[in-house]
C-alpha cells in the first residue's frame, strides 16, 4: 500500500515571495507522482506529474516539483507566487504494480494563501 | 466536450434515506472513480471502475454501491445515509490507469442530518 504525507496543512505567504509545499510518500513499489490543485468551490485539476526521466518537472504557470527517490519526496515550489495561486494543493501517488495498480492515493492537502 | 459532470451539486438527506449521485463523462475514458473529500483528510477512494461491467472497492467502500453499465456513466448509491457520510463527493475519469491524468467533476456537497 501507498501513503502520502503533506507536511504543512496551511502555508500563508505574501505575494511575490517564494513558496515550497512539502510532500513525502511511502510505497513498496515504484510510483508515479502527481500534484493536483483545487481552486475554491471547484474540482481538482492536474498541476504537474512525474512519470520518469528528469527528476525536475514543471507546470505551465511557473510551479516545479523535484522527485527525490532517496528521500521519497516530491516537493512543489514556485519562486514568486501570485494572489491567483491561492488554492488547496494535493500531492498524490499511483502505484506501478501490486494490488493498488491504477488507484490514486492522496495526501491531506495544503492550503496555500497568498496575501497582498 | 462537457468533461465530467455530476448531479446534483447539493443534497440534504435525513438519516436512513437512500439516494444516487450521478456521474457522466463524454471523453470515452475507461477508468472512473468516486472519491470523498473531508477536511484534513484529502481525497479517499470509495469505488472505481476499469471499464463497463467492472467495478472494485477502494479505501472506504462501506455504505456505498456502484455499477457501470455503460462507458459514460458511473453512479454512486448511498444505501442508507448516515451523518458520517456528510462530505463532498468527486467523480473522476481517466483514459488509462496509473500514469494518466484524472479529470474531476465539480463535486456534490452532501449533508446527512
Amino acid at each position: 500500500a501507498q501513503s502520502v504525507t503533506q507536511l504543512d496543512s496551511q502555508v500563508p505567504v505574501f505575494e511575490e515571495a517564494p513558496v515550497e509545499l512539502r510532500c513525502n510518500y511511502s510505497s513498496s513499489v515504484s510510483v508515479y507522482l502527481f500534484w493536483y490543485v483545487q481552486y475554491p468551490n471547484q474540482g481538482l485539476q492536474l498541476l504537474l506529474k512525474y512519470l520518469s526521466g528528469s527528476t525536475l518537472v514543471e507546470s505551465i504557470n511557473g510551479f516545479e516539483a523535484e522527485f527525490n527517490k532517496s528521500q521519497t519526496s516530491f516537493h512543489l515550489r514556485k519562486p514568486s507566487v501570485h494572489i491567483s495561486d491561492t488554492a488547496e494543493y494535493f500531492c498524490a501517488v499511483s502505484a506501478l504494480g501490486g494490488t493498488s495498480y491504477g488507484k490514486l492515493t492522496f495526501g491531506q492537502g495544503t492550503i496555500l494563501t497568498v496575501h497582498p | 466536450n462537457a468533461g465530467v459532470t455530476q448531479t446534483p451539486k447539493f443534497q440534504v438527506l435525513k438519516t436512513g434515506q437512500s439516494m444516487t449521485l450521478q456521474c457522466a463523462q463524454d471523453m470515452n475514458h475507461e477508468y472512473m472513480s468516486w472519491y470523498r473529500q473531508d477536511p484534513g483528510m484529502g481525497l479517499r477512494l470509495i469505488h472505481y471502475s476499469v471499464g463497463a461491467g467492472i467495478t472494485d472497492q477502494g479505501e472506504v467502500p462501506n455504505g456505498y454501491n456502484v455499477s457501470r453499465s455503460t462507458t459514460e456513466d458511473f453512479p454512486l448509491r448511498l444505501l442508507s445515509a448516515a451523518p458520517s457520510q456528510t462530505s463532498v463527493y468527486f467523480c473522476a475519469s481517466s483514459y488509462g490507469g496509473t500514469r494518466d491524468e484524472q479529470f474531476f467533476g465539480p463535486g456534490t456537497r452532501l449533508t446527512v442530518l
Side-chain angles (χ1 to χ4, degrees):
Chain A
Q2 292 70 47
S3 67
V4 179
T5 302
Q6 292 182 239
L7 298 161
D8 306 290
S9 59
Q10 297 191 53
V11 174
V13 293
F14 288 107
E15 195 172 18
E16 298 183 5
V19 70
E20 179 180 76
L21 308 184
R22 297 178 293 168
C23 172
N24 287 101
Y25 70 93
S26 172
S27 177
S28 57
V29 300
S30 296
V31 295
Y32 295 130
L33 295 147
F34 304 81
W35 276 99
Y36 282 82
V37 59
Q38 184 181 31
Y39 298 103
N41 299 312
Q42 294 186 24
L44 279 71
Q45 305 170 33
L46 180 68
L47 188 60
L48 48 75
K49 63 181 179 181
Y50 172 78
L51 302 180
S52 64
S54 172
T55 57
L56 186 67
V57 291
E58 298 178 351
S59 72
I60 59 173
N61 58 352
F63 282 93
E64 63 180 31
E66 186 160 19
F67 170 52
N68 188 318
K69 188 174 183 179
S70 63
Q71 298 187 6
T72 60
S73 68
F74 191 54
H75 301 332
L76 182 70
R77 303 183 183 94
K78 189 170 186 180
S80 176
V81 295
H82 303 288
I83 297 285
S84 59
D85 293 324
T86 294
E88 188 163 15
Y89 293 79
F90 292 93
C91 182
V93 300
S94 181
L96 271 67
T99 58
S100 297
Y101 181 81
K103 303 176 191 177
L104 267 185
T105 300
F106 285 88
Q108 302 91 331
T110 298
I111 297 173
L112 173 66
T113 304
V114 181
H115 298 285
Chain B
N1 280 354
V4 180
T5 58
Q6 291 183 238
T7 56
K9 283 189 176 296
F10 303 94
Q11 184 69 49
V12 178
L13 292 178
K14 295 181 179 178
T15 297
Q17 287 184 316
S18 63
M19 79 159 295
T20 299
L21 307 185
Q22 301 291 344
C23 174
Q25 53 91 8
D26 61 358
M27 297 174 282
N28 203 30
H29 285 169
E30 290 295 326
Y31 279 70
M32 296 187 74
S33 307
W34 276 103
Y35 296 89
R36 59 177 290 173
Q37 183 180 24
D38 302 291
M41 302 187 73
L43 277 78
R44 292 179 292 169
L45 182 65
I46 304 171
H47 285 285
Y48 68 103
S49 170
V50 301
I54 307 169
T55 63
D56 205 349
Q57 295 181 352
E59 181 184 354
V60 288
N62 292 341
Y64 307 95
N65 265 359
V66 292
S67 60
R68 183 102 179 265
S69 56
T70 67
T71 299
E72 295 78 20
D73 300 298
F74 191 43
L76 178 72
R77 298 181 187 85
L78 279 69
L79 308 173
S80 177
S84 60
Q85 294 179 304
T86 294
S87 186
V88 181
Y89 291 85
F90 288 99
C91 179
S93 74
S94 65
Y95 178 72
T98 195
R99 62 185 289 143
D100 293 314
E101 173 183 0
Q102 291 206 15
F103 293 84
F104 285 81
T108 295
R109 186 174 294 275
L110 175 68
T111 302
V112 182
L113 302 176

